[in-house]
Amino acid sequence: MSVNWPERIAAFCSSPSAFLSCSSSETFLAELLRELRDDKANDGVKVQLLSPLCEHPALLCRSISVGEETALELMSVFALCPPKSLPLRNHLLLALTSVLICSSCVSTHSRASEDFVDLLFQIAQDTNDLRDGPTFRFLRATACDCLRELEACCPGLLSQRLELLSGLRQQENSRLHQAYSGLHALSLRNAVHLLTQQKGAGAGELKAMLGGNEAVAWEVEPDSPPLSNPDLALLSPLTLGPMGRVPTLQTGPDCKELRSLLSGLLEESYLLTPLFQAALLRMLIEVVAMVPAVSPTIFKAQLLRLLGTCEVCLLHTTLLMKAVFTDSLFSAEDEAFILKRLVSLSQHPLLSTSEKLFYMDCILHFPENRPISSGDGEESLPVLLTPRLAAALVPTVFNDSASMLARLNLLSLVYLEEGEEGDGEGGQGLAYLYEHLTSLLRIVENQGSRETVVTFFRASFLFLLHFSHVERYSADLIQRLCELYLRHTRLAPHLINLADRTQDRLSESGWAVALLRALQRSVTEAPLPELTQQNLRWHLKVLARAGEEGDVPQRSTLNFLLNVVTRSSLCVGGDWRLGSTVLGVCRRLLLHPSLDSLLSPLADLLQHLCGQYGDTDIQDHARLYYTLLTTLSRDKLSGVLIQRGPEGGRQAKARSLSSIMAESEELTSALTVRQTERSLLKLVKLGRPEPEHGTEILTDPDGLEVSPGVGVLEDYRAQFRKPGFASEVTLDYQLTHAGGHKPRFSQLFSIRLHFDLTDSHYEEVGDISVPCLFSERAPPVVRLRLRPRQPYPTTLRASAVFTAQDGLSWHTILPDIHVAFPQVFLPLPVPRAWGLEHKHRVFEGLWNQISSGESEKDVADGAATLFCCQLEDAAVSMLVQKHFQPYLLSDRQCEDGLKVLVLLPPHSHLLLKIRTEEDAVHIAIATDNWELLPHINSYLQTITEDIQSLCQLQLTND
């Protein structure tokens, strides 16, 4: 092989988009298929060649037609593949499945999909390896997997092959019995669900479907809806709750065939692996739920095995079965046994942490036979879970963090139900939980690890969620937290976060405010000589958070700041971060409801800072705050510093256009670029200004001399030796709103447009800046400059970053920009001194060189051809006037016809001679780049068809 395919495949798989930017998907796909058909390539290389089709089929097969053609090619390769090449044949089946599904060939009932399904059944029908022997068992397994994937992605596809699938399952005695069982169960589930969607379907239709062995579904019902119906292709199970939610099929009592089929599948289920058993049972549960005539007691024989299982997947399926069928299948004794088993497994020492967490979650979402609460997804305890039964799950400090928090949450719910007062089980249990919490606190006090610290604060939050109303415990916890903070001031962020989260979840509780008030008192009453600079920074964070609460008096905070500023060396040091933190507290005080009582001491504090502090920036901010305090009313002051007033006693933050902010507050918001939900902008193409006939768009800055005779063509070509000559295409667009935008986006500023290429035919496009865009003004014009490497049509992906009226930065994706082939056309670039005669000489010189097949470097890739069409004389004139006027070299038809000369940058040309003959219009084509011929032909065909349609419309109107 001349191509290093392993290297190319590795490059594609590592970055498909980067790889396809240098080569089109059609070209790469054609090369792959050509190499797959090559008998000289070995099987190992061919398997590698199939990996792009298996992993990224949607990138290579972008349409249904391409997908079908690719599938036919792959099936021909499979047919010619030697029987011994099993790995290659397996990968061919997988690649075919991926291509047909991802290109929507299956959902559109294509012939290639039908042939492929027949091929898969032909392979799968060799049960017990009677025909090809055990060597081909792996190929049969792959065929079953492919059929199951097709059925999963297009539910109902195999609904007419249920009898065949049942026979194959019963005949298979090897380890592949599991694959046949899974395929049969999935097809049965989807077939029954398909019947539930049909009006009037009943026992007759069900019986006919179970006995069907004709063809795939689209042959039987060609007018049926697409098999890729999203309602049928749900990845989640159909049974998400009580049976009333499941679509049902009313069949009456006559369901012997379905019951027999289900019984056979259940009797064989013990032969399967646990995961496959769980999947099979899940599908059969859904079938029974959809057919009320089949009693859930059909699962009774399996319950003994399922209730004693130690497999997580099977136990989860058992709980799903209980949620669906409740007391119609599970007795009260069964329910009590399952709950006790879950409690036992939740603290089993041989199980992993993840398994124990799963079992505890199952307890919190236990499907009861007769549930009291009807809330879906909410944590609620089953009635049978008593404190005595749950005692085995009490948390200890020896548990890992996740298990400890899960146990604490579970036991909190248990003791909350029992009541927390008195000496009963509830009161004793609550006392134990609080003692456990204080044990964690003592570990944190003694330099506990970071994980222990986080676990303690999470445990405190869980405890408060359930028992914040118990005064003796919540008040004692506040006192202990204050003592902990004074010993370890580095815990300030944890305490502030605890207060924030508690206030968010328990908005009616005053515990968070009480904690902040107690922390404020602990900070302000601490001895000033013992204050270190590190502790002071954490104290200021706590005081700033307490300053956000309107119910917390701030006189003690202000006195503390005055003492720190006037009686310590803070001002002398001039630390910017520390001074900024002090200003952060002052900012909160400026917005506090009790500002009137704090006016004088706060003014003294700010005046002292602006005169004595050792950092100029802090002095400037303090001076600004002082000016605002002494000159603005409270309403205006709030309007400058924050846009919204207190919310529930806590100041809500809002973005301001003002740069007055304390420390890094709002800095993250200012620097964050947000993503819009949908496209807000679009570029609307404007018509290219057409130059007047006979004018040139380029000049000759170097004063090119005009040589007589044949030298004109050489002089013309000499211009292209100058770098960048005539190599740029300019396209004009209007930048407008995409429609339906919100009022906040009606005025946009500092718009930066970015463009990404989708191929390698053009050089990188630079970003474009647009000052503003107002919906009530005329849209600005954006000039896009393209520098082609090859003059092919292309697509640009565009995006924009802009600033909205509120000062926030946004990023939005614009619709793709499609650059058509005629948009890269340019008139002939000749010096202004050249007249029409010189242009004719250039045309004739180029035409003669291309037509004669000269091997000169400039026309070595030239080609000439003929395009014919049926047009009247008026239509020809309209064609030239509408599409070729800027490039026309003659105003009247001469003997050779109308001559058109187009520059295709950077250095290709398109030459046309348009002549009307008796039978048709002949357009002779010559170009010095033969690779452009497909685009030229497509362009001519499009414009001539448009002209024909326009002429017919005019005749109709006349």
Side-chain angles (χ1 to χ4, degrees), residues 24 157 191 305 370 388 624 696 846 858 875:
S24 65
L157 175 66
R305 177 169 59 88
R370 301 182 182 276
R388 187 177 300 276
L624 177 60
E696 299 79 16
L846 289 172
D858 293 324

Side-chain angles (χ1 to χ4, degrees), residues 358-421:
F358 167 75
Y359 292 128
M360 278 188 277
D361 190 70
C362 290
I363 295 174
L364 290 175
H365 300 87
F366 187 75
E368 298 180 89
N369 285 347
R370 301 182 182 276
I372 297 177
S373 63
S374 59
D376 294 336
E378 296 181 358
E379 293 183 350
S380 60
L381 292 177
V383 176
L384 297 178
L385 185 64
T386 61
R388 187 177 300 276
L389 180 60
L393 297 178
V394 291
T396 68
V397 295
F398 300 106
N399 298 129
D400 61 273
S401 298
S403 299
M404 182 192 301
L405 294 173
R407 289 186 175 202
L408 178 63
N409 183 47
L410 180 63
L411 268 295
S412 297
L413 290 171
V414 171
Y415 297 137
L416 186 63
E417 293 288 337
E418 294 296 322
E420 63 277 355
E421 300 295 337

Side-chain angles (χ1 to χ4, degrees), residues 228-303:
S228 59
N229 189 332
D231 293 334
L232 302 179
L234 292 174
L235 297 178
S236 58
L238 298 173
T239 49
L240 294 176
M243 289 181 62
R245 292 188 179 186
V246 182
T248 56
L249 179 65
Q250 302 301 329
T251 60
D254 187 18
C255 276
K256 293 187 299 182
E257 294 85 357
L258 180 59
R259 276 194 291 267
S260 175
L261 193 59
L262 294 175
S263 298
L265 286 168
L266 288 171
E267 288 174 3
E268 300 168 357
S269 63
Y270 75 94
L271 298 172
L272 311 180
T273 62
L275 282 174
F276 227 95
Q277 282 187 58
L280 177 70
L281 289 172
R282 198 181 192 92
M283 290 183 283
L284 298 185
I285 290 169
E286 295 172 4
V287 172
V288 175
M290 288 186 287
V291 185
V294 179
S295 173
T297 55
I298 196 171
F299 294 102
K300 201 71 176 179
Q302 311 296 324
L303 280 187

Side-chain angles (χ1 to χ4, degrees), residues 850-868:
I850 296 172
S851 301
S852 63
E854 293 183 11
S855 59
E856 292 187 18
K857 178 181 179 181
D858 293 324
V859 293
D861 295 329
T865 184
L866 181 66
F867 178 87
C868 299

Side-chain angles (χ1 to χ4, degrees), residues 505-818:
R505 290 292 299 273
L506 304 172
S507 57
E508 298 180 358
S509 173
W511 187 87
V513 176
L515 173 63
L516 293 170
R517 186 184 295 111
L519 289 172
Q520 179 202 44
R521 184 170 56 252
S522 300
V523 170
T524 56
E525 294 178 357
L528 193 61
E530 300 178 4
L531 189 63
T532 64
Q533 191 175 49
Q534 185 62 37
N535 290 344
L536 177 59
R537 287 177 175 167
W538 294 122
H539 289 342
L540 293 175
K541 294 282 187 182
V542 171
L543 294 178
R545 176 61 184 87
E548 296 181 12
E549 300 300 330
D551 297 334
V552 178
Q554 299 298 317
R555 172 67 68 171
S556 59
T557 296
L558 195 51
N559 292 335
F560 174 79
L561 292 178
L562 283 168
N563 290 332
V564 168
V565 170
T566 58
R567 300 181 183 179
S568 69
S569 59
L570 173 65
C571 294
V572 179
D575 183 86
W576 182 88
R577 293 186 62 186
L578 198 57
S580 183
T581 311
V582 173
L583 288 177
V585 181
C586 295
R587 180 189 177 91
R588 270 46 172 220
L589 297 180
L590 288 169
L591 297 168
H592 200 269
S594 62
L595 177 61
D596 294 339
S597 62
L598 306 175
L599 188 60
S600 179
L602 182 56
D604 293 340
L605 174 62
L606 293 172
Q607 195 171 23
H608 186 83
L609 287 174
C610 67
Q612 303 296 327
Y613 200 80
D615 185 88
T616 305
D617 184 60
I618 300 302
Q619 290 181 8
D620 291 341
H621 277 80
R623 188 175 296 107
L624 177 60
Y625 283 171
Y626 178 81
T627 304
L628 296 175
L629 176 64
T630 55
T631 57
L632 297 182
S633 64
R634 286 196 58 187
D635 293 339
K636 291 183 179 181
L637 184 61
S638 299
V640 171
L641 297 178
I642 197 167
Q643 274 64 53
R644 288 184 292 174
E647 260 182 21
R650 181 181 172 191
Q651 293 171 358
K653 295 181 180 179
R655 179 72 167 85
S656 172
L657 289 177
S658 171
S659 61
I660 306 170
M661 48 183 134
E663 202 173 348
S664 61
E665 182 183 349
E666 299 184 358
L667 189 57
T668 302
S669 175
L671 297 179
T672 300
V673 178
R674 294 158 175 78
Q675 181 68 45
T676 61
E677 296 179 358
R678 57 183 183 84
S679 180
L680 293 179
L681 303 173
K682 64 179 180 179
L683 289 171
V684 180
K685 183 174 65 175
L686 297 176
R688 181 188 294 179
E690 297 185 2
E692 297 181 2
H693 177 61
T695 61
E696 299 79 16
I697 61 168
L698 295 176
T699 60
D700 179 24
D702 298 329
L704 183 69
E705 295 183 359
V706 181
S707 303
V710 294
V712 173
L713 182 58
E714 284 72 13
D715 291 341
Y716 170 74
R717 292 191 186 280
Q719 299 177 106
F720 290 90
R721 296 171 190 155
K722 182 179 179 181
F725 176 78
S727 60
E728 187 173 86
V729 177
T730 302
L731 304 177
D732 287 346
Y733 294 85
Q734 275 187 338
L735 179 65
T736 66
H737 287 90
H741 61 277
K742 297 179 181 179
R744 67 184 301 182
F745 298 120
S746 60
Q747 295 183 357
L748 308 180
F749 304 89
S750 301
I751 305 169
R752 186 76 171 179
L753 298 173
H754 178 74
F755 303 92
D756 290 315
L757 301 174
T758 57
D759 51 50
S760 59
H761 304 318
Y762 289 77
E763 296 183 9
E764 293 293 334
V765 182
D767 293 352
I768 299 176
S769 295
V770 179
C772 60
L773 173 63
F774 295 167
S775 58
E776 65 275 7
R777 298 183 187 176
V781 175
V782 174
R783 179 152 291 180
L784 189 61
R785 303 183 186 277
L786 301 178
R787 298 181 68 88
R789 292 171 180 158
Q790 292 291 340
Y792 296 154
T794 188
T795 298
L796 300 178
R797 295 192 175 98
S799 60
V801 176
F802 59 86
T803 302
Q805 300 178 64
D806 55 4
L808 298 179
S809 296
W810 293 84
H811 177 269
T812 187
I813 303 296
L814 278 69
D816 289 347
I817 302 172
H818 301 286

